[in-house]
Amino acid sequence: MSKNQEYAQEYAGYAMEQMRRYGIPASVTLAQGILESSNGQSRLAQNENNHFGIKATPSWIAEGGRYALYTDDRPDEKFCSYDSVGDSYEHHSRFLKENSRYAACFGLSADDYKGWTEGIAQAGYATGSDYAGKLQKIIEQNGLQEYDRQVMQEMKEQGRCFGLEENPLGEAEDTTYSFPVERKDFLFVTTPFGVESQSFDSGEKVHKGMDIRCNDDSVLATENEGKVISVKGSGAGQSVTVEYSRKDGSKVQCSYMHLGEVSVKVGDTVKAGQQLGKTGGEHLHFSVRNIYADGTQRDIDPAAYLAEIAQKGGIRQQVLHNGSDLLARYKSPDSVRDGRPLTTEGWMKKLLSSEDSGVGLSGCSDPVVEMAMTAFTSLMLLAVQIDNKEEERQKAEVSAAMDSRKIDLKPLLPGMKSCTLTVNENGKALLHADNGSAQISRELSSAELSRLSVTLNNGSLSEETKRMRVTGLLNTVILSETASRNFEMGMEQQQGQTESLKR
């Protein structure tokens, strides 16, 4: 699969949603995203979720819109910064719709991608030559017009019309249902429901819920008419259980664990989206139990429950673990936005653009921090792909690295007893290494980060050459720090001996 096709697969849902809302061909939106963001790999896309190169206007800034400075036609131009990729897609559509230069395009059919690309080019969207031809080539080589056909057929079969009223953003999520944590795009699950490990002595160890990445977030009731039946614990170890009754006499109990704050009490009746408390750290353990009419009980996969309420409430957020949507297996095929798992690189990019990145310092303009972020993500991808590991294992390692802000670099430096790179809360890159006889721990300098970034982002180098050069750079840092420490220790010993002689 090409990079263009990977991008289209990942963001087709957004483009098709925009087509329903504004009548802009999904194929054209995707092609512009591919071209303007370099398949989502540009600094603007990765740092600001800006996939269309849209600059911040005075009105955008006056309304509180965030922006960042980048060099384009001129140095330090202001570009829009978005909370999510979905927001970038929505603003792109509004940019076209609200700008009179593109008015003629909206008189075209929603599947006339050639007319749209020519109209956008003639209106001056980009300064490069043959912009329409470039977009059409991307569309035709990757079959992006198929997304236009799907939307046209769907609208015809359902008797729906294009427009904002009939196609509200997010398909008008029903306020009678809510996910346990609010997210714009997806919930990042670090540990799913199921068997965690198995041994001869202790047998199976089963994880009876799912761990959702949080950062002192509010936790929310998932349905209306819920009854709080349990509040336990203290400090960062509090828990809440809410029970929902079903018409057949059965009940569903949703439990929230690892809370640092609880805002309800036993006996309270809660509604969907109501805050129950806040997490006490970076993870929420969410579990679901079915209590049947005959009194029997069973712990179920929370993904099955979330798929059920997502369908009832029109909730479009995904629940992703290692790049795969956990809800897909419980949904009917026609309701799955995109059931295909992401690639390792696609999963890393999605995590970087999410609210739960773990390493993303949104809005940070410090060039040293930006280099640390770039080095961290590029090193991570290089390290996890060594030894031709299976892609599922690669994605699991990416998830763990994002969650902990730590990369295991031992695959790059097998001679080391241990070696890790950690990004702290201030965005500084810290190298920790143990060669068996000495341990070092220090912050990488801007010059070292720059050399790493130049090597890692050199598209002309093979992966093997990159690994060799990166290994050499890291070894140099470690040897330099070790030599410096040895020198300092020698000087201290010499000074101690001199002091002894004086006495």
Side-chain angles (χ1 to χ4, degrees), residues 371-389:
M371 280 194 292
M373 298 300 109
T374 302
F376 181 90
T377 54
S378 300
L379 271 173
M380 174 171 54
L381 200 59
L382 197 65
V384 302
Q385 292 176 336
I386 287 179
D387 300 331
N388 296 317
K389 299 170 187 169

Side-chain angles (χ1 to χ4, degrees), residues 358-369:
V359 297
L361 298 175
S362 179
C364 181
S365 58
D366 186 332
V368 177
V369 172

Side-chain angles (χ1 to χ4, degrees), residues 1-293:
M1 183 182 293
S2 69
K3 297 290 186 183
N4 289 356
Q5 290 168 332
E6 286 181 6
Y7 179 95
Q9 175 183 307
E10 184 169 355
Y11 298 113
Y14 290 132
M16 294 166 77
E17 178 179 57
Q18 294 304 310
M19 181 174 175
R20 299 183 194 101
R21 286 170 59 74
Y22 294 93
I24 304 168
S27 60
V28 174
T29 301
L30 285 171
Q32 284 197 277
I34 287 169
L35 188 58
E36 299 291 342
S37 75
S38 299
N39 289 303
Q41 296 179 34
S42 68
R43 288 172 57 209
L44 195 58
Q46 294 203 4
N47 297 343
E48 316 303 335
N49 288 321
N50 188 332
H51 281 227
F52 300 95
I54 295 179
K55 295 177 182 177
T57 61
S59 61
W60 168 266
I61 298 170
E63 292 171 5
R66 292 187 295 110
Y67 66 88
L69 302 178
Y70 290 85
T71 298
D72 186 38
D73 298 324
R74 295 182 300 275
D76 292 338
E77 292 191 275
K78 297 175 181 177
F79 285 83
C80 295
S81 181
Y82 306 99
D83 290 332
S84 69
V85 177
D87 288 348
S88 175
Y89 271 68
E90 173 70 15
H91 190 222
H92 168 259
S93 297
R94 283 174 39 216
F95 174 81
L96 297 179
K97 182 70 175 177
E98 296 168 5
N99 194 320
S100 60
R101 288 187 300 162
Y102 305 102
C105 293
F106 289 89
L108 302 171
S109 172
D111 61 351
D112 181 7
Y113 71 86
K114 290 186 177 180
W116 272 87
T117 54
E118 291 165 2
I120 287 173
Q122 289 170 6
Y125 189 97
T127 56
S129 61
D130 196 23
Y131 190 64
K134 292 175 182 176
L135 294 178
Q136 289 176 24
K137 184 177 180 181
I138 292 171
I139 291 169
E140 290 162 2
Q141 286 186 341
N142 298 282
L144 303 186
Q145 64 269 42
E146 176 61 21
Y147 294 114
D148 301 340
R149 190 197 65 77
Q150 288 180 31
V151 174
M152 296 296 283
Q153 183 177 346
E154 168 198 298
M155 302 296 270
K156 181 179 179 181
E157 291 175 350
Q158 296 178 7
R160 295 165 63 185
C161 298
F162 294 101
L164 302 182
E165 290 187 7
E166 280 205 41
N167 304 278
L169 198 61
E171 295 185 356
E173 293 183 1
D174 193 330
T175 55
T176 57
Y177 297 95
S178 169
F179 274 0
V181 180
E182 184 177 358
R183 288 290 180 268
K184 293 180 181 295
D185 192 11
F186 68 95
L187 272 61
F188 172 21
V189 174
T190 54
T191 308
F193 176 89
V195 177
E196 283 190 285
S197 62
Q198 189 168 5
S199 67
F200 180 79
D201 294 329
S202 58
E204 289 185 343
K205 182 181 178 183
V206 178
H207 190 244
K208 295 183 179 181
M210 65 166 55
D211 290 342
I212 303 169
R213 183 70 156 80
C214 295
N215 186 18
D216 298 325
D217 286 277
S218 297
V219 298
L220 312 174
T222 53
E223 303 180 43
N224 285 338
E225 300 302 320
K227 184 178 180 181
V228 179
I229 63 169
S230 174
V231 175
K232 296 180 180 178
S234 61
Q238 299 179 71
S239 67
V240 171
T241 299
V242 180
E243 184 176 86
Y244 303 97
S245 298
R246 297 288 186 253
K247 292 180 180 179
D248 63 0
S250 65
K251 298 175 181 178
V252 174
Q253 292 181 351
C254 296
S255 295
Y256 306 72
M257 298 178 67
H258 309 315
L259 306 185
E261 179 183 317
V262 174
S263 50
V264 293
K265 63 183 184 300
V266 172
D268 284 354
T269 298
V270 296
K271 60 183 180 180
Q274 179 177 332
Q275 180 176 318
L276 305 175
K278 297 185 73 173
T279 55
E282 297 182 337
H283 294 88
L284 165 69
H285 178 87
F286 179 69
S287 61
V288 180
R289 173 173 292 185
N290 276 349
I291 303 178
Y292 301 98

Side-chain angles (χ1 to χ4, degrees), residues 396-472:
E397 291 182 8
V398 166
S399 299
M402 288 293 193
D403 189 34
S404 65
R405 301 190 185 96
K406 181 187 291 184
I407 314 170
D408 180 9
L409 295 178
K410 198 170 182 303
L412 289 169
L413 298 160
M416 291 287 165
K417 187 174 179 181
S418 66
C419 186
T420 62
L421 182 73
T422 304
V423 175
N424 66 18
E425 293 182 356
N426 296 320
K428 306 300 183 183
L430 307 175
L431 184 67
H432 308 270
D434 181 354
N435 63 9
S437 59
Q439 297 180 357
I440 70 120
S441 179
R442 78 169 176 83
E443 180 184 323
L444 294 182
S445 68
S446 58
E448 290 162 348
L449 287 170
S450 178
R451 287 197 294 272
L452 278 173
S453 296
V454 167
T455 299
L456 289 163
N457 294 289
N458 188 334
S460 66
L461 299 179
S462 67
E463 293 301 296
E464 184 58 32
T465 301
K466 285 183 182 179
R467 290 189 187 110
M468 290 176 63
R469 292 191 181 183
V470 167
T471 298

